[in-house]
Amino acid sequence: MLKDVLEQIERRNRFLLTSHARPDGDAVGSALACCQILRSMGKDADVVLRDGVPRIYQPLPFADQVVHAQRVNGNYEAAIILECDSMQRTRLDGLENRFLINIDHHLSGRPFADVNWIDPDAVATAEMVFRLARAVKAEISPEIATCLYTALLTDTGSFMFAGTNERTFTLARELVRAGADPAQCARRVYFAHSTAKMRLLGAALSNLHREGPLAWFWVTQEQMELCDAKEEDCEGLVNYGLSIQDVEVAAFLREIPDGRFRVSLRSKGALNVAAVAESFGGGGHECASGCSLDGPLSAAVARILAKLQIGQSFH
Ligand code: 5GP
């Protein structure tokens, strides 16, 4: 509960903030905003991310202060884990035996920490961080507003995903009033792709398959290398599958160096893809989830399609 989080924050002074590995906009934006809120309360706070800040989020205020590390050192009095449904997904060493505070909005969120505030009704963790700021009467500076607006924009799929509601727009309005520039935030995220990402999109779409309401496609390690693409260049590619008329669910598979596949699932709402991802040990939201599967590619595709087809109450 928020009340418990506030109580613990008030009692302590030195905080570490982190989120999941391969951070998305909500992970980076919420952690950066929360860090600034804590500092405005006179606390010490650092953000540490296992994979650092992806290129498109590097223009966010204070993103240059994020520590890119595999291990947490330092005598922090608590670690605040945002937008992350387990300690393992941070992929950070050195969190064990620390006092942990978990702030998350995932449907698959688990109370793994000492204090847990999990609200799957929040469209983004940014919404929860905003509530926290209000509760401690922190001023929402233009920098905090920019981080939270970018988090909200990206986690709602530009206000397009199911779950986007009146509250979402009220929050967006508050953030714009506090100094977030919507056009600039959108430009930095959506009009700042690397050339490699565009080439990778071409390669991925050349593998596009469609059967009724399902679309699936993939990229192999070889294609990634040929395009000179990085892992973060895969973010958002799955949405191109979902953008097809009458497709209800899209799956995008990315081969990782160990030969396994990272799977991104997206739904327009008729199928709960969090349940599908969870059945493979992953998680996420009803409309956006992910998991990992063993290769080879044909086996990974067959397993995911079998689950999606069984779940096809929308067929
Ligand atoms: P993406 O497809 O963008 O990687 O992830 C979509 C959503 O599913 C995000 O909210 C992300 O946090 C969640 N997600 C992706 N992969 C995993 C996973 O392996 N485990 C869990 N628990 N959640 C995941």
Side-chain angles (χ1 to χ4, degrees):
M1 298 286 288
L2 172 59
K3 180 173 77 49
D4 305 318
V5 171
L6 294 175
E7 212 177 283
Q8 296 302 331
I9 289 177
E10 265 153 33
R11 276 197 209 161
R12 290 155 210 269
N13 280 312
R14 289 185 306 281
F15 294 88
L16 162 96
L17 295 104
T18 191
S19 186
H20 54 82
R22 300 183 306 106
D24 56 14
D26 197 22
V28 178
S30 293
L32 286 173
C34 195
C35 181
Q36 292 169 67
I37 292 162
L38 291 173
R39 287 178 181 170
S40 78
M41 295 168 73
K43 316 268 182 193
D44 286 339
D46 295 316
V47 179
V48 179
L49 292 173
R50 170 64 161 77
D51 294 322
V53 178
R55 204 178 51 85
I56 52 171
Y57 302 119
Q58 282 170 8
L60 285 177
F62 303 107
D64 56 343
Q65 293 179 12
V66 170
V67 180
H68 180 179
Q70 296 183 13
R71 185 173 183 85
V72 176
N73 296 309
N75 62 343
Y76 298 105
E77 291 168 87
I80 304 183
I81 305 182
L82 297 120
E83 225 298 283
C84 186
D85 53 11
S86 68
M87 199 168 80
Q88 291 68 32
R89 279 199 78 214
T90 65
R91 295 191 48 225
L92 281 179
D93 297 326
L95 285 176
E96 321 76 31
N97 307 321
R98 290 185 189 269
F99 189 86
L100 300 181
I101 300 174
N102 164 20
I103 302 179
D104 187 24
H105 77 125
H106 285 96
L107 195 63
S108 53
R110 300 277 173 272
F112 63 86
D114 297 290
V115 170
N116 298 278
W117 177 28
I118 303 169
D119 181 1
D121 284 337
V123 284
T125 301
E127 186 177 329
M128 303 172 74
V129 174
F130 182 82
R131 268 189 252 154
L132 188 148
R134 276 285 157 86
V136 299
K137 300 194 169 46
E139 187 208 338
I140 308 287
S141 65
E143 290 79 18
I144 293 175
T146 299
C147 291
L148 291 179
Y149 184 91
T150 302
L152 187 66
L153 176 73
T154 53
D155 231 42
T156 58
S158 313
F159 305 105
M160 290 191 293
F161 290 161
T164 304
N165 55 29
E166 191 189 335
R167 237 181 31 239
T168 317
F169 289 101
T170 305
L171 174 56
R173 177 172 182 266
E174 292 286 331
L175 296 172
V176 172
R177 282 167 62 119
D181 177 340
Q184 188 189 59
C185 292
R187 196 164 57 235
R188 286 173 172 172
V189 174
Y190 300 116
F191 299 97
H193 295 319
S194 65
T195 310
K197 178 170 182 150
M198 290 295 101
R199 294 213 173 94
L200 192 69
L201 173 63
L205 291 178
S206 70
N207 297 326
L208 179 68
H209 291 255
R210 162 89 193 265
E211 207 175 277
L214 296 181
W216 67 97
F217 56 129
W218 60 81
V219 290
T220 61
Q221 268 296 308
E222 198 187 343
Q223 286 175 311
M224 299 258 309
E225 280 159 28
L226 276 172
C227 297
D228 201 19
K230 297 199 205 112
E231 195 176 297
E232 66 184 60
D233 291 318
C234 293
E235 195 185 329
L237 295 191
V238 62
N239 294 323
Y240 287 90
L242 202 65
S243 70
I244 302 168
Q245 186 177 28
D246 295 332
V247 163
E248 283 294 336
V249 174
F252 173 70
L253 295 90
R254 169 172 69 85
E255 190 180 12
I256 49 181
D258 68 3
R260 283 164 59 80
F261 286 83
R262 286 278 325 148
V263 185
S264 285
L265 298 172
R266 297 292 185 271
S267 165
K268 283 180 183 151
L271 182 76
N272 174 0
V273 288
V276 175
E278 277 177 55
S279 74
F280 292 117
H285 310 283
E286 282 187 17
C287 290
S289 67
C291 58
S292 300
L293 291 176
D294 286 335
L297 175 66
S298 55
V301 168
R303 286 185 79 194
I304 203 80
L305 287 185
K307 257 292 162 9
L308 292 175
Q309 275 149 358
I310 290 168
Q312 269 188 52
S313 52
F314 53 83
H315 203 48

